[in-house]
Amino acid sequence: MCELLAMSANVPTDIVFSFTGLAQRGGVTGPHVDGWGITFYEGKGSRTFKDAHPSSESHIAELIQSYPIKSEVVVSHIRQANRGCVSLENTHPFTRELWGRYWTYAHNGQLSDYQDKFTVSRFQPVGDTDSELAFCWLLEKVVDKFGEQEPEDISLVYQFIAKLADEIRCLGVFNMILTDGAHLMSYCSNNLCYITRKAPFGKAKLIDTDVVIDFDKETTPDDIVTVIATRPLTKDEEWHILAPGEWKLFRKGVLIMDEA
Amino acid sequence: MCELLAMSANVPTDIVFSFTGLAQRGGVTGPHVDGWGITFYEGKGSRTFKDAHPSSESHIAELIQSYPIKSEVVVSHIRQANRGCVSLENTHPFTRELWGRYWTYAHNGQLSDYQDKFTVSRFQPVGDTDSELAFCWLLEKVVDKFGEQEPEDISLVYQFIAKLADEIRCLGVFNMILTDGAHLMSYCSNNLCYITRKAPFGKAKLIDTDVVIDFDKETTPDDIVTVIATRPLTKDEEWHILAPGEWKLFRKGVLIMDEA
């Protein structure tokens, strides 16, 4: 399996604190040693750092922990390979352009008997994971339904994707993070939780390593930051655990839609 | 304007030496301070490091110069903005997936009166540069002609792209690097040169900073490495200067096709 981490914020925010916890699970406090990746959005642009080495030993992961990149949307993943070998092309997150936006996706779980379902043509996987193929199929279906221009009401697209995710969940475990750079969607199959931090901010301590942060010193009173993770990253805070089939859509740190 | 750097090699090779020279041109020996990027292929996978800061001051560029990533295909670019503001989404190289491969592209030059020509739908630019729009148009035309599956003879695709590049060159300056991860194409409008290094290897000295390398100590006798750049990066070596309209296609460091 793997672990997911994502962030949606209303101001450019660095994710050093949360990533420091996650990176420990890539070889120290967790078995996810088969690569890792992180995508930062800055405006419509995005950049992804990836490594097929364990995050706990990676020079590039070290850079991410020491060089704060401020971003409004972040998606990260550490991998314990099941389908597909350990290689750069199989390392999440995966990105494709659609409607003049970069869509970025990461998956935790494993699917079975999916080859017949996931027929793709326009979006083709580069690697050989079930995860990337599922992503391509999602986008293929979105284009089939909405065409070559983004619909005015993007929420229709995410509602449609949630229905597709329900179908995928029938094939196995499908915890998913998906973003178009503005919205951030989390879809839960069995393991996903989130926390929204806003004023008044307090302190938090990482579970995986001995680091404490005082968010009050790192933020302004208007900041709203949502962090999504496979498992809670901090003690002393209340994380919302998602139920199977539950999904949430965030924008600028705020929950704007869910399965209700 | 901007500067381009690319590499094609028959064994995974690091580009630290050449990139060290190029990075100096991003603020020290050259005026290209509006961002930089570099894409490394490892197998079919690729990873891109980008920064909207000058390469000569960038923490991430420092990492690239100190942490050798071995790759068979590399594309890099340092930017001096003309069309499009300084931002991450306008930073080259640009990547799109087609036929289950990541295609990566960088452009040096400036185009005029191009909006009417470059109508796109399936591949849309995320930023607002002439460069990214031209890339999207190239891929759009490729799909129009060859469809959703890669043709058996990929050389037909590159010959077609060269013809499209001839059309683009009528709109201004269009020096281009393009790769599908296996092949590396260079198209010259006015400034592009290359060198192919193979045994017997010698020494070379960077033009832009005081660094000397002895390739004989860094290579094996079977290595073949081609480096493409806007302007020669080394003294004491003979770089081949491309003529306007000239293009070259390399694979595993070897020239396999050109405009002849």
Side-chain angles (χ1 to χ4, degrees):
Chain A
M1 306 294 276
C2 315
E3 294 221 15
L4 299 168
L5 170 66
M7 187 190 79
S8 167
N10 67 341
V11 287
T13 302
D14 82 65
I15 198 168
V16 166
F17 176 71
S18 298
F19 184 75
T20 299
L22 184 77
Q24 292 294 312
R25 297 181 185 173
V28 178
T29 58
H32 315 284
V33 298
D34 299 325
W36 65 276
I38 187 165
T39 300
F40 298 90
Y41 281 83
E42 290 156 69
K44 291 181 75 182
S46 73
R47 47 180 163 174
T48 299
F49 298 83
K50 281 187 179 188
D51 213 336
H53 298 120
S55 54
S56 62
E57 298 170 10
S58 162
H59 287 278
I60 301 168
E62 245 173 61
L63 176 84
I64 302 300
Q65 289 170 67
S66 64
Y67 175 59
I69 295 175
K70 302 236 175 201
S71 177
E72 292 181 16
V73 177
V74 176
V75 175
S76 182
H77 181 274
I78 54 175
R79 181 163 186 243
Q80 184 180 15
N82 41 53
R83 302 251 184 255
C85 61
V86 177
S87 65
L88 195 61
E89 69 261 33
N90 286 341
T91 304
H92 307 225
F94 301 104
T95 298
R96 295 287 187 278
E97 176 268 317
L98 172 64
W99 301 332
R101 294 177 183 272
Y102 293 120
W103 291 70
T104 296
Y105 155 104
H107 166 223
N108 151 243
Q110 186 170 351
L111 308 174
S112 298
D113 305 321
Y114 55 85
Q115 295 288 0
D116 288 346
K117 181 177 187 73
F118 294 150
T119 52
V120 293
S121 148
R122 175 179 158 154
F123 298 95
Q124 293 180 32
V126 174
D128 56 1
T129 61
D130 50 356
S131 306
E132 188 188 10
L133 183 56
F135 177 41
C136 292
W137 179 77
L138 281 174
L139 294 180
E140 191 103 12
K141 288 287 174 186
V142 164
V143 171
D144 285 351
K145 184 169 178 73
F146 296 97
E148 295 293 354
Q149 295 301 323
E150 182 176 319
E152 276 190 32
D153 183 0
I154 191 80
S155 69
L156 298 176
V157 176
Y158 282 100
Q159 285 170 334
F160 179 65
I161 289 171
K163 285 197 183 135
L164 297 172
D166 289 338
E167 291 180 35
I168 298 174
R169 188 160 68 93
C170 297
L171 303 173
V173 174
F174 191 67
N175 300 297
M176 176 189 79
I177 301 287
L178 178 70
T179 180
D180 59 12
H183 306 81
L184 180 69
M185 180 187 197
S186 58
Y187 180 91
C188 179
S189 189
N190 62 355
N191 276 316
L192 211 56
C193 61
Y194 77 94
I195 189 167
T196 300
R197 297 185 183 118
K198 54 188 175 181
F201 291 98
K203 290 185 185 176
K205 186 178 184 312
L206 286 178
I207 291 172
D208 296 87
T209 184
D210 196 20
V211 176
V212 177
I213 193 168
D214 184 350
F215 289 113
D216 198 41
K217 290 188 180 155
E218 308 282 333
T219 53
T220 71
D222 296 331
D223 292 9
I224 302 174
V225 181
T226 291
V227 174
I228 303 164
T230 296
R231 295 180 287 132
L233 287 162
T234 56
K235 303 171 187 173
D236 323 320
E237 290 189 306
E238 194 177 337
W239 290 70
H240 302 274
I241 309 296
L242 271 65
E246 206 178 356
W247 61 273
K248 305 283 176 191
L249 187 69
F250 300 93
R251 186 183 166 93
K252 296 185 176 293
V254 177
L255 180 67
I256 60 168
M257 196 189 309
D258 58 21
E259 70 294 340
Chain B
M1 306 291 276
C2 313
E3 295 221 15
L4 299 168
L5 170 65
M7 186 190 80
S8 166
N10 66 343
V11 288
T13 302
D14 82 68
I15 198 168
V16 166
F17 176 70
S18 299
F19 184 75
T20 298
L22 183 79
Q24 292 294 313
R25 296 181 185 174
V28 179
T29 59
H32 315 284
V33 298
D34 298 326
W36 64 277
I38 187 165
T39 301
F40 298 90
Y41 281 84
E42 291 155 70
K44 292 181 75 183
S46 73
R47 47 179 163 175
T48 298
F49 298 84
K50 281 188 177 186
D51 213 337
H53 298 119
S55 54
S56 63
E57 299 170 10
S58 162
H59 286 278
I60 301 169
E62 244 173 60
L63 176 85
I64 303 299
Q65 290 171 67
S66 64
Y67 176 59
I69 295 176
K70 303 237 175 198
S71 177
E72 292 180 16
V73 176
V74 176
V75 175
S76 182
H77 181 275
I78 53 175
R79 180 162 188 242
Q80 186 181 14
N82 41 51
R83 303 252 184 251
C85 61
V86 177
S87 64
L88 194 61
E89 68 262 33
N90 286 341
T91 304
H92 307 223
F94 301 104
T95 298
R96 294 288 186 277
E97 176 269 316
L98 172 64
W99 301 332
R101 294 176 182 274
Y102 293 121
W103 292 71
T104 296
Y105 155 105
H107 166 224
N108 152 244
Q110 186 169 353
L111 307 175
S112 299
D113 304 321
Y114 54 86
Q115 297 286 359
D116 288 347
K117 182 176 184 75
F118 295 149
T119 52
V120 294
S121 146
R122 176 180 157 153
F123 297 94
Q124 294 181 33
V126 174
D128 55 359
T129 62
D130 51 356
S131 305
E132 189 188 10
L133 182 57
F135 176 43
C136 291
W137 180 76
L138 281 174
L139 294 181
E140 191 103 10
K141 288 286 174 188
V142 164
V143 170
D144 284 352
K145 184 168 176 75
F146 296 97
E148 294 295 353
Q149 293 302 322
E150 181 176 320
E152 276 191 30
D153 184 359
I154 190 81
S155 69
L156 298 176
V157 176
Y158 282 99
Q159 284 169 337
F160 179 66
I161 289 171
K163 285 196 182 135
L164 297 172
D166 289 338
E167 291 180 37
I168 298 174
R169 188 160 68 93
C170 298
L171 303 174
V173 175
F174 191 67
N175 300 296
M176 177 190 75
I177 302 287
L178 178 68
T179 180
D180 61 12
H183 306 82
L184 180 69
M185 179 185 198
S186 58
Y187 180 91
C188 179
S189 188
N190 63 355
N191 277 316
L192 211 54
C193 61
Y194 76 96
I195 188 166
T196 300
R197 299 184 181 117
K198 52 188 177 181
F201 291 99
K203 290 184 185 175
K205 185 176 183 317
L206 287 178
I207 290 172
D208 295 87
T209 185
D210 196 22
V211 175
V212 178
I213 193 168
D214 184 350
F215 289 113
D216 198 40
K217 290 187 179 159
E218 308 281 334
T219 53
T220 71
D222 296 331
D223 291 9
I224 302 174
V225 181
T226 291
V227 174
I228 302 164
T230 295
R231 296 180 285 131
L233 287 162
T234 56
K235 303 171 185 173
D236 323 321
E237 290 189 306
E238 195 177 338
W239 290 72
H240 303 273
I241 310 295
L242 270 65
E246 206 177 358
W247 61 274
K248 306 282 176 191
L249 188 69
F250 300 92
R251 187 184 165 92
K252 294 182 177 295
V254 177
L255 180 67
I256 60 167
M257 195 188 312
D258 57 22
E259 70 294 343

